[in-house]
Amino acid sequence: MGGKQDRDEAYGKPAKYDPSFRGPIKNRSCTDIVCCILFLLFILGYIVVGIVAWVYGDPRQVLYPRNSTGAYCGVGANKDKPYLLYFNIFSCVLATNIITVAENGLQCPTPQVCVSSCPEVAWTVEVNQFSQKVGEVFYTANRNFCLPGVPWDMPVIQSLQQELCPSFLLPSAPALGRCLPLLNSTPPELPGISSNTSISQGISGLLDSLNARDISVKIFEDFAQSWYWILVAVGHMMSTMFYPLVTFVLLLICIVYWAMTALYLATSGQPQYVLWAPNASLPSCEKVQMNTSCNPMAQPVNSSCPGLMCIFQSYSSTGLVQRSLFNLQIYGVLGLFWTLNWVLALGQCVLAGAFASFYWALDKRRDIPTFPLISAFIRTLRYHTGSLAFGALILTLVQIARVVLEYTDNKLRGAQNPVARCIMCCFKCCLWCLEKFIKFLNRNAYIMIAIYGKNFCVSAKNAFMLLMRNIVRVVVLDKVTDLLLFFGKLLVVGGVGVLSFFFFTGRIQGLGTVFESPSLNYYWLPIMVSILGAYVIANGFFSVFGMCVDTLFLCFLEDLERNDGSLDRPYYMPTALLKILGKKNEALPGDKKRKK
């Protein structure tokens, strides 16, 4: 007996009976004021970063394509020419990798021109047309795909040598403002490409096997046909998903704000252009200083270096905003993690306050507040913003450390030896365990904050001590709850998936015309969307259930320490739980109120 008492006191003394305690404390004061001020100042700075990004950034550099002169397509002088045509789109693949192309705003080492419409048929310059004029071959045939300012009487061979006009056209369709070849078309004999059999065969195989445009159209048709039935796993559950919906909206706002700020910051510099040639090693190109700054509005003409052009390289890093770009992006990432964790903490604390109001109502029919969720929401925002920010900041620092470690591991993976990989793996494992522990501690700390209104450190300590005094119950409940939540999610998602499969494949007969399954090109699409939607909804619903279990469990542990079931100290737990535990109250809940 003495040993058990010593172990219990090592984790704090059990809660004592308090006749004035009736659930979540109403007379409370603000907690963690310093952290609250720090968090508000950080949010103010986050807003300033967004304003700076808005003022100096130019998302048109991402949203609108640029031609070889740096002018936007679909804007200003090119208002009637919204699409960008690549003279040799295969150079985007052959000259560099797709990541580099994406980082450069989908720019490629080939001339680009704004056009009013994309080519509809395949065409290649014939050998007998080399001696003709540009106007005869291009302009009179309504092939307005040359760079601006190419004279009518220029020989075709000269325009091709200087890459002022395209040597071939492919049937294309606009995508992201660019004319991209149709994937079900057959490429013509392309200069400089057809001689390489493997490349030609690879391109042909890719174009023959993938028909992404047709697939995308059919997918859109499938969505249009099946959207109503996809939203039926949603409509009847929205009333039970009220607060998770609020949390989802707040999380979405945080993510969208960060994404827009990062986009504007990334486009805050001016585009820089340099000289480039496809064959810079040719003797005629030795006198040209490649990668030197140039003016895209004055493309090199009559140069002795074939294919010499002024192309986009990157965005400038001069200026105060551009020099601080990296720091501002780091600030934005910190803001993203901190605000996301704060929103999640707000949801946990609000739900804990509502569920605690239910548990600590002696008469469940009369003592529960009228609007427990709204009351808990207002109470949490008013008094405990700083405490939530404190817990969210601790978790944020650990998560950012994990991100940095993952980034470092990815960068150094090729140069690591087995010992270094083992050490890195140990560090990653330790941080993962630390993050899980902090999430567990924060979750229970927010429950104690919702009930007693103490600051974060005191609440975390009291929650940890209470759990350690009941470690066996904690382990058993944690495993049982995890198992039940897993089977619950599996049942919902699996049931929706099976039902969707039989419905969208037309295997359920006799439903009538009202419930007739739509005719689809790819029945797997609405099935996958339904399964994903069911998982999101089930995860949101069961997260509320999990928070309810954790809150009621802490309240139950304190109830056992505070009360003994006597007439003056009745248990607050429901009657069904009393029967399970083999305990009873001398008076039924509500028959005798507490002594004042």
Side-chain angles (χ1 to χ4, degrees), residues 260-545:
M260 295 301 297
T261 301
L263 174 63
Y264 274 82
L265 285 175
T267 57
S268 60
Q270 293 298 321
Q272 301 295 303
Y273 294 85
V274 296
L275 291 174
W276 177 89
N279 296 312
S281 59
L282 293 176
S284 57
C285 298
E286 292 180 352
K287 296 182 179 179
V288 179
Q289 295 182 351
M290 300 295 176
N291 297 322
T292 56
S293 179
C294 60
N295 183 8
M297 301 299 294
Q299 288 286 343
V301 181
N302 298 326
S303 174
S304 59
C305 181
L308 182 66
M309 67 182 72
C310 187
I311 65 170
F312 170 83
Q313 183 187 42
S314 62
Y315 296 106
S316 66
S317 58
T318 59
L320 178 61
V321 176
Q322 288 72 36
R323 289 195 302 268
S324 306
L325 182 61
F326 179 77
N327 296 331
L328 293 178
Q329 292 285 22
I330 293 296
Y331 192 97
V333 172
L334 178 61
L336 173 67
F337 278 91
W338 199 359
T339 52
L340 290 181
N341 287 322
W342 185 87
V343 169
L344 294 175
L346 175 65
Q348 293 174 352
C349 196
V350 169
L351 291 174
F355 295 135
S357 298
F358 162 81
Y359 186 93
W360 293 110
L362 191 60
D363 188 338
K364 308 300 183 187
R365 296 167 297 179
R366 295 182 300 181
D367 294 344
I368 297 177
T370 306
F371 301 105
L373 191 68
I374 297 177
S375 300
F377 183 82
I378 296 175
R379 187 167 59 240
T380 302
L381 279 182
R382 180 179 180 183
Y383 296 109
H384 307 303
T385 296
S387 297
L388 302 184
F390 191 7
L393 178 60
I394 296 174
L395 182 59
T396 295
L397 296 178
V398 175
Q399 290 175 336
I400 289 181
R402 287 193 65 195
V403 171
V404 172
L405 197 62
E406 289 287 350
Y407 177 80
T408 304
D409 182 39
N410 184 66
K411 285 293 184 181
L412 303 179
R413 183 165 297 173
Q416 288 178 352
N417 55 41
V419 177
R421 285 199 299 270
C422 180
I423 296 176
M424 183 66 71
C425 184
C426 292
F427 276 124
K428 291 162 65 175
C429 181
C430 291
L431 284 179
W432 181 84
C433 294
L434 180 60
E435 181 182 357
K436 290 296 182 182
F437 175 76
I438 290 178
K439 284 184 176 179
F440 172 79
L441 189 62
N442 284 4
R443 187 182 182 92
N444 290 282
Y446 298 145
I447 295 174
M448 301 301 280
I449 290 173
I451 298 175
Y452 295 103
K454 303 293 184 180
N455 61 47
F456 177 82
C457 292
V458 172
S459 299
K461 175 188 174 183
N462 292 341
F464 182 75
M465 294 297 183
L466 177 61
L467 293 173
M468 291 303 297
R469 290 196 298 268
N470 300 270
I471 189 63
V472 177
R473 291 191 178 105
V474 172
V475 173
V476 173
L477 179 80
D478 183 64
K479 297 304 179 184
V480 172
T481 302
D482 288 345
L483 188 62
L484 290 177
L485 292 178
F486 172 75
F487 281 122
K489 294 178 184 178
L490 186 63
L491 180 63
V492 172
V493 176
V496 171
V498 172
L499 182 62
S500 300
F501 174 78
F502 281 97
F503 177 77
F504 288 113
T505 55
R507 302 190 182 191
I508 303 179
Q509 304 297 330
L511 296 179
T513 57
V514 178
F515 295 96
E516 183 179 0
S517 60
S519 177
L520 304 174
N521 299 296
Y522 307 104
Y523 63 83
W524 53 264
L525 174 71
I527 294 175
M528 296 303 297
V529 174
S530 299
I531 291 175
L532 180 62
Y535 174 78
V536 172
I537 294 174
N539 190 62
F541 175 77
F542 284 108
S543 67
V544 176
F545 178 75

Side-chain angles (χ1 to χ4, degrees), residues 137-335:
V137 176
F138 288 93
Y139 299 150
T140 57
N142 199 28
R143 301 188 187 100
N144 299 313
F145 303 118
C146 295
L147 295 177
V150 178
W152 177 285
D153 56 352
M154 175 179 285
V156 171
I157 184 64
Q158 183 180 353
S159 69
L160 298 181
Q161 290 174 345
Q162 298 181 7
E163 293 192 308
L164 300 177
C165 295
S167 59
F168 65 91
L169 299 174
L170 294 175
S172 308
L176 299 176
R178 279 87 176 170
C179 291
L180 300 181
L182 298 179
L183 297 181
N184 58 355
S185 60
T186 303
E189 293 295 328
L190 306 179
I193 294 182
S194 60
S195 59
N196 190 328
T197 305
S198 62
I199 294 179
S200 179
Q201 292 177 347
I203 294 174
S204 298
L206 178 64
L207 298 182
D208 291 339
S209 61
L210 296 179
N211 194 343
R213 181 173 180 269
D214 289 345
I215 291 177
S216 63
V217 172
K218 292 179 180 179
I219 288 176
F220 179 78
E221 293 174 353
D222 290 347
F223 265 120
Q225 293 287 339
S226 60
W227 67 269
Y228 172 78
W229 299 106
I230 294 175
L231 294 179
V232 167
V234 179
H236 295 288
M237 299 180 66
M238 290 303 293
S239 60
T240 61
M241 298 295 299
F242 171 71
Y243 196 81
L245 184 61
V246 174
T247 301
F248 173 79
V249 172
L250 294 177
L251 292 176
L252 186 62
I253 292 174
C254 295
I255 295 174
V256 170
Y257 181 81
W258 168 79
M260 295 301 297
T261 301
L263 174 63
Y264 274 82
L265 285 175
T267 57
S268 60
Q270 293 298 321
Q272 301 295 303
Y273 294 85
V274 296
L275 291 174
W276 177 89
N279 296 312
S281 59
L282 293 176
S284 57
C285 298
E286 292 180 352
K287 296 182 179 179
V288 179
Q289 295 182 351
M290 300 295 176
N291 297 322
T292 56
S293 179
C294 60
N295 183 8
M297 301 299 294
Q299 288 286 343
V301 181
N302 298 326
S303 174
S304 59
C305 181
L308 182 66
M309 67 182 72
C310 187
I311 65 170
F312 170 83
Q313 183 187 42
S314 62
Y315 296 106
S316 66
S317 58
T318 59
L320 178 61
V321 176
Q322 288 72 36
R323 289 195 302 268
S324 306
L325 182 61
F326 179 77
N327 296 331
L328 293 178
Q329 292 285 22
I330 293 296
Y331 192 97
V333 172
L334 178 61

Side-chain angles (χ1 to χ4, degrees), residues 99-116:
I99 297 179
T100 305
V101 172
E103 289 177 348
N104 291 336
L106 300 182
Q107 295 288 333
C108 301
T110 184
Q112 299 139 57
V113 62
C114 298
V115 295
S116 57

